[in-house]
Amino acid sequence: SQKIEQNSEALNIQEGKTATLTCNYTNYSPAYLQWYRQDPGRGPVFLLLIRENEKEKRKERLKVTFDTTLKQSLFHITASQPADSATYLCARGEAAGNKLTFGGGTRVLVKP
Amino acid sequence: GAGVSQTPSNKVTEKGKYVELRCDPISGHTALYWYRQSLGQGPEFLIYFQGTGAADDSGLPNDRFFAVRPEGSVSTLKIQRTERGDSAVYLCASSSSTGYGPRDTEAFFGQGTRLTVV
């Protein structure tokens, strides 16, 4: 089965700095990766999508990369703010089928 | 409403009982998904509907779990003979994916139903 691994340790970061989260996958490259934000007691909220043939995507202060050689995606939050504190989930999607396979998420805590 | 709605938000049941969890997707979304999330883990896929039919039920853990979507909108996840290990947050999501076009459309999640089996 296809797996997605995220660093289970919480990431503590100072306000204004860049937070970098890692998502590693096994076996073949997924057709796409999606990143979601999840706050306590809430469902995940979609943030960004990157496809297999794309190297980098940006949205406001967010940037995601896709490295098929390293089998890795990096998610960056630049100029981090306390409001960015949440759990961030990486999910892989395949060319066939519609389900997402999620990683365990990385909790980010931005300190003022 | 504008988003995915799940009811109830919390459900406590006794071991061995039957429960139903309801999901109202975003209007017009033909794709509907059920996921299960345990504490500290990511969502785990259960089942995917495209319209009224279950296009992929490979994530259902055993035959105690069943889901329906008779009219292609509201879906119900049914769990028979509940066990303590079924305790988790059950998430529903919908998307505009038709199954023919792009499959990478974003999924909109509800806030989940927290099921506790005692």
Side-chain angles (χ1 to χ4, degrees), chain A residues 4-14 17-25 33-38 45 47-48 50 55 57 61-67 70-81 84-91 103-110:
Chain A
I4 286 280
E5 294 177 351
Q6 296 183 253
N7 192 343
S8 60
E9 287 186 24
L11 178 64
N12 293 299
I13 191 164
Q14 201 67 36
K17 300 292 186 183
T18 296
T20 298
L21 286 65
T22 304
C23 174
N24 295 299
Y25 60 86
L33 290 164
Q34 293 184 349
W35 284 86
Y36 288 78
R37 168 185 173 140
Q38 187 172 28
V45 175
L47 296 174
L48 277 171
I50 187 164
K55 296 288 187 186
K57 276 282 197 60
R61 293 184 296 109
L62 307 178
K63 184 179 84 171
V64 63
T65 62
F66 196 157
D67 189 325
L70 295 178
K71 296 189 176 181
Q72 182 179 84
S73 175
L74 297 179
F75 179 82
H76 306 272
I77 308 172
T78 59
S80 59
Q81 304 168 359
D84 295 327
S85 299
T87 295
Y88 291 85
L89 296 161
C90 174
T106 299
R107 187 177 171 206
V108 173
L109 179 60
V110 181

Side-chain angles (χ1 to χ4, degrees), chain B residues 29-111:
Chain B
H29 280 186
T30 57
L32 184 145
Y33 313 81
W34 284 98
Y35 288 83
R36 177 170 70 175
Q37 187 173 27
S38 299
L39 192 63
Q41 298 187 17
E44 174 191 9
F45 171 80
L46 295 176
I47 188 169
Y48 155 61
F49 285 90
Q50 184 55 247
T52 59
D56 183 352
D57 64 358
S58 62
L60 294 177
N62 51 60
D63 61 6
R64 295 187 297 106
F65 288 74
F66 189 70
V68 296
R69 194 185 186 199
E71 298 179 357
S73 55
V74 171
S75 176
T76 304
L77 178 66
K78 308 180 180 192
I79 310 174
Q80 298 177 326
R81 305 183 303 279
T82 52
E83 299 177 357
R84 293 195 178 86
D86 298 335
S87 297
V89 174
Y90 288 80
L91 293 164
C92 177
S94 70
S95 82
S96 59
S97 172
T98 62
Y100 296 100
R103 300 175 185 275
D104 55 14
T105 51
E106 68 177 280
F108 295 84
F109 282 83
Q111 66 178 34

